[in-house]
């Protein structure tokens, strides 16, 4: 059923609306219809196979009214260059949302993309781009694969540029800091060449620092370009803080250098070149590290696309032709040999085999395929030769849809609070206003230019965002470093910041809660044979098979110290089992189909089979010389750490869900074993992200934990995606947090570490502003006006440095974080 909305013309009263609704409801295929007089809208739910727009329109016109098809809103994705923080993405959103006809605007800072839904009858895409440009950013339209290539090349070029500028800044900042600070520590072995002595040659001392600082300021020119641009547009951000703070220190230092040149040598103690140089360098380092971690996300798309083979073999006119993947059409007969990947989705027409669909479903066991079975592009064919008819190709395949889901989830805005950016929106204008008003006030009071400039610079220097700028990144650097030490790789500050709000964790079953491969769990014997003999004969028979259950039986036998024999003969029956001769005995090992085909009576095992199946076990019947002798069962066993991890999460107040493509019985058996009450079973790969979204719609902050390619869309959709480090590369690249040891206990560790780090950040921000709250009145001359001391730029710089030291020291306390 499809639900659509249309505009009805000519209605004047409620009876008109009722009349239209009645007329439409009588049409074949219509399930429900409703007419809203106020909005003049007809909402109708109908079967598209039985009713089209033409028939619907004629019915409404026959009733005496007109019907207009709604102009469907268009959606466009645009790359937006030049954004550096949450305030930038918010400014771009606001600019576009002001346009008439824009239904929604979402700008994602992490991916540098904007997603806009608009009515083309009211606003054009060119106008949206123009609004983004007017806001100070560069829009570029995304066009399929070419856009992906462009985006990757753009990011690589940008990263190289950032790295080169950072290296240049560090090269000049180190000697700059040494020269500026060496004279403050006499007698501890920090010598300077005699010609740079600040007492004898103050101008040389100042000029050398100036020469070293200019390249650093140049390398960080983007901060100034963006910072002052956003300031002028009334939307200051962290770049503005850096630009105003370091720019003021740099300009005042130039002024001091000029004063030294004129003979005012006392200004040698009023140089702040090193403050501007070091702050710019540190901020550049933080931006570079952030960009490195952000860039990992897009690699998930590339890895997903690599799963598809570049070509395929099709059958045409009795001949086999190898063709590029994009030339396969629906209806083509595709040939897949053992071990090859299914190139597209389709239905098997010939052959029996198994398919490894773990990359899509997460299920470790292969799935039997026979004529009529559906096969999925990207899955791997087992040991049989298969022909299938292509039914879904190109963007319609399951793998393509997973890729699209990842892209869509990445394009959606994450609800992450950027405390420093929000505060800066108020902090910077207030500080600048205080500095200007203080300077103007003292000028009107008759003070000389030097006094006025001292007041102005003192206010800006003491409000320089050293502590504010260090408050968040320092805590994040220490927190993420501690996480790495504990085996929890957190990809940047956004993931760390979001994790502390997590109240719901969704755990994938296969490979996350469980080991990801079957193990022998049970063996039942019949007819007087011992367990050891039954296991020896079945494992020896299965020795040549690559089937996961066969391997589980062989490994189980080896764990018991049994020395297996090579079968004298071996024959595989794809999708059913094997026949072998061991020590002269004919062994049949397989499913009940194989037993039935060979006339083996399995009645003795019926009760055992039902019990084992209900507990989520996969069965294999063993017949020796035509008689049922044993029933073996294998299951994907639970990791030792899973139950403990679930208990820890519950103690943290986190609700735990398990999600899997397995059937309900298997899923609930595993869930009971680890103590999980909330089970989401029979969930298809493309629906996992939807299940996460449903929980988010209930107001929950969701962390998704998975290890397979099929988990990638859900990992990105979740507020925080956590990947098992022993899983696939795609899951690892898609996630915000990687659990390197593959231990679920790292999930509560990540949440506890995040909470500790966020507390630390809030403490840092508090102390950063305490210094400003106390220092700004001194710097503005308020205390001086009341008869107290005047705060000079020297003391303002000292206070600024002390605030930075206190913030860093507080952040370093996170090194003592311990898992409870």
């Amino acid at each position: 059923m499809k639900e659509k909305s249309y505009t009805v013309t000519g209605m004047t009263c409620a009876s008109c609306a009722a009349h239209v609704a009645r007329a439409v409801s009588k049409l074949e295929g219509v399930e429900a219809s409703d007419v809203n007089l106020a909005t003049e809208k007809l909402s109708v739910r109908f079967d598209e196979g039985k009713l089209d727009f033409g028939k619907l329109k004629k019915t409404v016109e026959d009733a005496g009214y007109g019907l207009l098809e709604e102009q469907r809103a268009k959606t466009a994705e645009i790359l937006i260059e030049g954004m550096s923080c949450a305030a930038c993405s918010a400014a771009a959103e606001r600019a576009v949302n002001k346009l008439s006809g824009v239904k929604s605007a979402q700008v994602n800072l992490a991916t540098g993309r904007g997603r806009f839904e608009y009515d083309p009858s009211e606003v054009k895409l060119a106008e949206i781009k123009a609004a983004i440009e007017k806001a100070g950013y560069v829009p570029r339209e995304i066009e399929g694969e070419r856009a992906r290539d462009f985006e990757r090349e753009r990011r690589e070029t940008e990263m190289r540029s950032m790295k080169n500028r950072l290296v240049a800044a560090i090269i000049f900042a180190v000697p700059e800091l040494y020269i500026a600070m060496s004279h403050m520590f006499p007698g501890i072995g920090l010598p300077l060449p005699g010609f740079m002595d600040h007492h004898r040659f103050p101008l040389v001392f100042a000029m050398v620092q100036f020469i070293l600082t200019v390249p650093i300021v140049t390398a960080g020119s983007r901060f100034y370009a963006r910072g002052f641009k956003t300031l002028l547009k009334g939307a200051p951000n962290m770049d503005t803080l850096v630009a105003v703070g370091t720019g003021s220190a740099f300009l005042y230092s130039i002024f001091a250098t000029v004063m030294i040149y004129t003979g005012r040598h006392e200004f040698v103690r009023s140089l702040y070149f090193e403050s501007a140089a070091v702050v710019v360098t540190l901020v550049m380092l933080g931006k570079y590290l952030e960009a490195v971690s952000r860039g990992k996300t897009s690699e998930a798309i590339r890895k997903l696309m690599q799963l598809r083979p570049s070509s395929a073999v099709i059958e045409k006119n009795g001949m086999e032709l190898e063709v590029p993947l994009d030339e396969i059409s629906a209806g083509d007969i595709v040939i897949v040999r053992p071990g090859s990947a299914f190139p597209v989705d389709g239905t098997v027409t010939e052959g029996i085999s198994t398919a490894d669909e773990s990359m899509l479903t997460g299920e470790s066991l292969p799935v039997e395929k026979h004529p009529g079975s559906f096969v999925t592009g990207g899955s791997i064919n087992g040991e049989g030769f298969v022909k299938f008819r292509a039914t879904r190709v190109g963007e319609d395949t399951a793998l393509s849809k997973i890729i699209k889901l990842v892209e869509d989830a990445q394009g959606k805005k994450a609800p992450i609070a950027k405390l420093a950016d929000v505060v800066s929106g108020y902090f910077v204008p207030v500080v600048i206003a205080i500095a200007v008003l203080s300077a103007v006030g003292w000028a009107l009071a008759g003070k000389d230019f030097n006094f006025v400039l001292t007041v102005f610079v003192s206010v800006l220097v003491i409000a320089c965002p050293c502590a504010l700028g260090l408050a968040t990144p320092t805590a994040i650097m220490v927190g993420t470093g501690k996480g790495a030490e504990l085996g929890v790789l957190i990809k940047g500050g956004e993931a760390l910041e979001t994790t502390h709000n997590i109240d719901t964790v969704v755990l994938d079953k296969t490979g996350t809660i469980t080991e990801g491969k079957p193990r022998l769990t049970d063996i039942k014997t019949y007819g007087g044979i011992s367990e050891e003999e039954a296991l020896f004969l079945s494992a020896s028979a299965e020795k040549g098979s690559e089937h996961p259950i066969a391997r589980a039986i062989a490994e189980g036998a080896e764990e018991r110290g049994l020395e297996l024999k090579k079968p004298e003969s071996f024959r595989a029956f794809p999708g059913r089992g094997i026949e072998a001769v061991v020590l002269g005995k004919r062994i049949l090992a397989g499913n009940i189909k194989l037993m039935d085909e060979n006339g083996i009576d399995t009645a003795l095992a019926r009760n055992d089979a039902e019990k084992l199946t209900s507990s989520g076990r996969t069965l294999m019947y063993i017949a020796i010389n035509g008689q049922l002798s044993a029933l073996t069962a294998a299951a994907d066993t639970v990791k030792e750490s899973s139950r403990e991890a679930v208990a820890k999460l519950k103690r943290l107040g986190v609700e735990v869900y398990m999600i899997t493509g397995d059937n309900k019985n298997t899923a609930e058996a595993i869930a009971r074993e680890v103590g999980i009450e909330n089970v989401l079973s029979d969930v298809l790969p493309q629906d996992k992200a939807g299940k996460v979204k449903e929980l988010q719609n209930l107001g929950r902050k969701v962390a998704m934990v998975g290890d397979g390619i099929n988990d990638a869309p859900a990992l990105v959709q979740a507020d925080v995606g956590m990947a098992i480090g022993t899983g696939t590369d795609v899951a690892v690249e898609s996630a915000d947090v990687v659990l390197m040891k593959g231990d679920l206990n790292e999930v509560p560790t990540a949440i506890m570490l995040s909470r500790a780090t966020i507390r630390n950040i809030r403490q840092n921000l508090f102390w950063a502003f305490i210094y400003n709250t106390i220092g700004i009145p001194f710097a503005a001359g308020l205390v001086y006006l009341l008869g107290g001391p005047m705060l000079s730029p020297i003391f303002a710089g000292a206070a600024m440095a002390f605030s930075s030291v206190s913030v860093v020291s507080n952040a370093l306390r996170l090194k003592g974080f311990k898992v409870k």
Side-chain angles (χ1 to χ4, degrees):
M1 288 290 176
K2 188 79 172 180
E3 187 165 343
K4 290 187 177 181
S5 180
Y6 305 91
T7 298
V8 181
T9 61
M11 295 190 301
T12 58
C13 64
S15 62
C16 298
H19 184 46
V20 172
R22 281 196 303 271
V24 171
S25 66
K26 293 177 182 178
L27 288 171
E28 183 183 5
V30 173
E31 184 178 278
S33 65
D34 181 65
V35 178
N36 187 315
L37 178 64
T39 59
E40 295 185 327
K41 299 295 183 186
L42 162 66
S43 296
V44 57
R45 183 176 176 82
F46 63 98
D47 184 344
E48 284 187 300
K50 297 179 179 179
L51 180 66
D52 57 23
F53 177 70
K55 189 182 294 184
L56 183 64
K57 183 178 181 181
K58 185 177 186 304
T59 300
V60 175
E61 289 176 343
D62 289 345
Y65 306 94
L67 188 69
L68 302 176
E69 188 170 17
E70 287 282 278
Q71 172 67 58
R72 291 185 178 182
K74 286 190 176 181
T75 300
E77 286 196 23
I78 297 176
L79 289 173
I80 302 176
E81 298 178 9
M83 298 189 299
S84 62
C85 68
C88 299
S89 56
E93 278 187 2
R94 285 196 301 270
V96 175
N97 271 322
K98 290 178 181 177
L99 298 174
S100 175
V102 172
K103 297 181 180 297
S104 70
Q106 288 191 337
V107 178
N108 188 311
L109 174 65
T111 61
R113 292 186 181 208
R115 187 179 180 87
F116 307 100
E117 187 179 356
Y118 63 101
D119 185 343
S121 66
E122 294 184 45
V123 63
K124 303 301 180 186
L125 186 59
E127 294 174 275
I128 293 175
K129 289 183 177 180
I132 294 171
E133 286 181 337
K134 191 175 180 180
Y137 309 100
V138 181
R140 295 186 186 275
E141 191 170 353
I142 298 174
E143 296 176 8
E145 299 303 322
R146 191 165 58 84
R148 289 195 189 107
D149 293 338
F150 167 77
E151 186 178 6
R152 184 164 55 250
E153 291 171 6
R154 178 189 63 80
R155 184 180 297 110
E156 289 173 355
T157 302
E158 175 68 13
M159 290 298 295
R160 283 195 299 270
S161 175
M162 289 180 71
K163 184 177 181 179
N164 292 338
R165 287 184 278 113
L166 174 61
V167 170
I170 292 173
I171 289 173
F172 287 99
V174 172
E176 161 68 20
L177 186 61
Y178 178 86
I179 293 169
M181 303 300 292
S182 60
H183 69 281
M184 297 184 182
F185 303 96
I188 63 171
L190 295 178
L192 275 180
F195 71 89
M196 279 194 285
D197 185 275
H198 70 288
H199 292 299
R200 291 183 295 159
F201 304 104
L203 184 60
V204 174
F205 181 74
M207 287 302 299
V208 169
Q209 291 187 60
F210 170 74
I211 292 170
L212 288 171
T213 304
V214 168
I216 299 172
V217 172
T218 303
S221 60
R222 292 188 179 185
F223 296 133
Y224 301 98
R226 291 194 295 244
F228 287 119
K229 180 185 290 185
T230 55
L231 178 63
L232 293 174
K233 292 183 177 294
N237 55 22
M238 285 300 291
D239 288 337
T240 308
L241 287 171
V242 175
V244 172
T246 61
S248 300
F250 181 63
L251 292 175
Y252 182 74
S253 298
I254 292 176
F255 168 76
T257 302
V258 173
M259 291 296 100
I260 294 170
Y261 177 76
T262 62
R264 301 282 299 279
H265 293 177
E266 66 273 16
F267 273 90
V268 76
R269 301 188 66 83
S270 298
L271 297 172
Y272 297 98
F273 286 123
E274 82 284 353
S275 294
V278 174
V279 170
V280 169
T281 304
L282 287 174
V283 175
M284 288 175 68
L285 174 62
K287 291 289 185 183
Y288 176 73
L289 294 176
E290 181 184 350
V292 168
S293 81
R294 278 209 320 253
K296 295 289 186 182
T297 310
S298 62
E299 294 302 307
I301 302 291
R302 181 177 60 81
K303 289 181 181 292
L304 280 169
M305 295 182 68
Q306 287 176 345
L307 292 170
R308 294 187 287 207
S310 58
S311 62
V313 176
I314 66 171
E315 187 177 71
K316 192 170 185 178
N317 300 325
M319 297 178 60
E320 293 185 7
L321 298 175
E322 185 171 354
V323 298
L325 186 66
D326 58 5
E327 289 187 14
I328 299 178
S329 302
D332 284 345
I333 299 297
V334 184
I335 297 172
V336 184
R337 290 181 168 78
S340 298
F342 290 96
V344 295
D345 299 351
T347 304
V348 175
T349 59
E350 183 180 327
I352 297 175
S353 185
T354 58
D356 178 3
E357 298 180 346
S358 59
M359 49 75 67
L360 286 169
T361 66
E363 176 52 55
S364 56
L365 299 176
V367 180
E368 182 182 340
K369 301 297 179 184
H370 49 74
S373 298
F374 183 77
V375 292
T376 307
S379 58
I380 305 299
N381 184 27
E383 52 202 21
F385 179 89
V386 173
K387 292 182 181 180
F388 73 95
R389 187 181 304 278
T391 57
R392 294 192 302 211
V393 299
E395 296 301 313
D396 293 328
T397 64
L399 182 58
S400 294
K401 288 178 180 177
I402 288 178
I403 293 172
K404 185 66 167 63
L405 282 170
V406 174
E407 288 183 319
D408 289 346
Q410 287 182 343
K412 293 174 183 175
K413 191 175 181 182
I416 299 171
K418 293 286 187 181
L419 296 178
D421 285 334
V422 172
V423 171
S424 70
Y426 301 97
F427 178 68
V428 176
V430 169
V431 169
I432 293 175
I434 291 173
V436 172
L437 290 174
S438 300
V440 171
W442 285 114
L444 294 175
K447 294 294 184 179
D448 60 23
F449 178 75
N450 186 46
F451 184 93
V452 171
L453 187 60
T454 298
V455 168
F456 180 74
V457 174
S458 293
V459 172
L460 291 176
V461 169
I462 203 166
C464 183
C466 289
L468 182 61
L470 290 171
T472 300
T474 308
I476 287 173
M477 286 178 69
V478 178
T480 52
K482 186 64 180 180
E485 181 184 320
L486 297 171
V488 179
L489 179 61
I490 303 172
K491 296 182 180 179
E494 290 187 354
L496 190 64
E497 186 176 350
T498 309
T499 304
H500 90 284
N501 282 324
I502 293 301
D503 55 26
T504 303
V505 170
V506 178
L507 302 174
D508 177 55
K509 180 187 79 71
T510 306
T512 301
I513 294 176
T514 66
E515 295 287 354
K517 65 176 184 177
R519 291 183 180 275
L520 181 66
T521 57
D522 302 90
I523 179 167
K524 306 290 184 180
T525 60
Y526 312 97
I529 190 172
S530 68
E531 275 192 21
E532 186 171 292
E533 184 181 358
L535 185 57
F536 164 75
L537 290 172
S538 59
S540 296
E542 295 279 14
K543 193 174 182 182
S545 175
E546 290 300 315
H547 193 283
I549 299 298
R551 289 200 300 269
I553 292 173
E555 288 171 3
E558 290 171 357
E559 287 173 3
R560 297 193 187 192
L562 300 179
E563 292 186 11
L564 305 183
K565 299 292 184 180
K566 184 176 180 180
E568 296 153 29
S569 67
F570 179 88
R571 183 183 178 189
F573 300 96
R576 288 164 290 172
I578 61 99
E579 178 183 9
V581 176
V582 178
L583 299 180
K585 297 180 179 180
R586 176 174 174 261
I587 311 296
L588 284 173
N591 57 27
I592 198 165
K593 290 181 182 178
L594 184 65
M595 299 296 113
D596 292 342
E597 289 174 1
N598 287 272
I600 306 298
D601 185 2
T602 59
L604 287 173
R606 186 173 295 119
N607 290 336
D608 289 331
E610 289 176 357
K611 290 178 183 178
L612 291 171
T613 301
S614 66
S615 61
R617 303 293 196 261
T618 300
L619 308 181
M620 182 175 286
Y621 294 83
I622 309 297
I624 301 174
N625 292 333
Q627 297 294 321
L628 179 69
S629 299
L631 176 65
T632 60
D636 190 3
T637 55
V638 171
K639 293 180 180 178
E640 293 181 5
S641 60
S642 295
R643 174 174 284 278
E644 181 185 359
V646 170
K648 283 183 178 179
L649 287 169
K650 290 181 177 179
R651 287 198 296 272
L652 289 173
V654 175
E655 191 161 354
V656 184
Y657 284 74
M658 186 181 81
I659 191 167
T660 178
D662 283 353
N663 62 63
K664 186 178 180 181
N665 287 339
T666 301
E668 290 184 346
I670 296 294
R672 283 194 302 270
E673 191 173 343
V674 296
I676 296 176
E677 291 82 24
N678 306 301
V679 181
L680 304 172
S681 59
D682 297 301
V683 180
L684 297 175
Q686 59 267 32
D687 294 336
K688 285 189 176 183
K691 292 293 183 181
V692 171
K693 182 65 175 174
E694 287 176 13
L695 291 171
Q696 290 173 321
N697 289 339
L698 296 175
R700 297 181 179 277
K701 295 295 182 182
V702 182
M704 170 70 194
V705 186
D707 76 321
I709 291 171
N710 61 298
D711 300 320
L715 289 171
V716 180
Q717 173 63 53
D719 296 285
V720 175
M722 297 185 179
I724 299 296
T726 53
T728 64
D729 288 343
V730 173
V732 170
E733 295 291 352
S734 300
D736 305 297
V737 178
V738 181
L739 312 176
M740 299 303 293
K741 300 175 186 175
D743 188 339
L744 271 187
N745 278 305
E746 292 167 323
V747 177
T749 295
I751 294 174
M752 288 187 285
L753 178 61
S754 173
R755 291 177 181 179
T757 305
I758 295 304
R759 281 196 303 271
N760 193 279
I761 289 172
R762 287 170 177 164
Q763 292 165 1
N764 286 348
L765 291 172
F766 171 78
W767 286 111
F769 284 106
I770 279 292
Y771 288 111
N772 291 121
T773 303
I774 296 174
I776 288 177
F778 274 91
L782 181 60
V783 176
Y784 175 82
L785 185 64
L786 299 174
M790 181 67 193
L791 183 67
S792 71
I794 298 174
F795 290 107
M800 178 186 67
F802 184 69
S803 67
S804 299
V805 171
S806 66
V807 163
V808 172
S809 299
N810 187 51
L812 290 174
R813 292 192 307 109
L814 285 170
K815 286 184 173 289
F817 171 83
K818 293 181 180 179
V819 180
K820 298 179 181 178

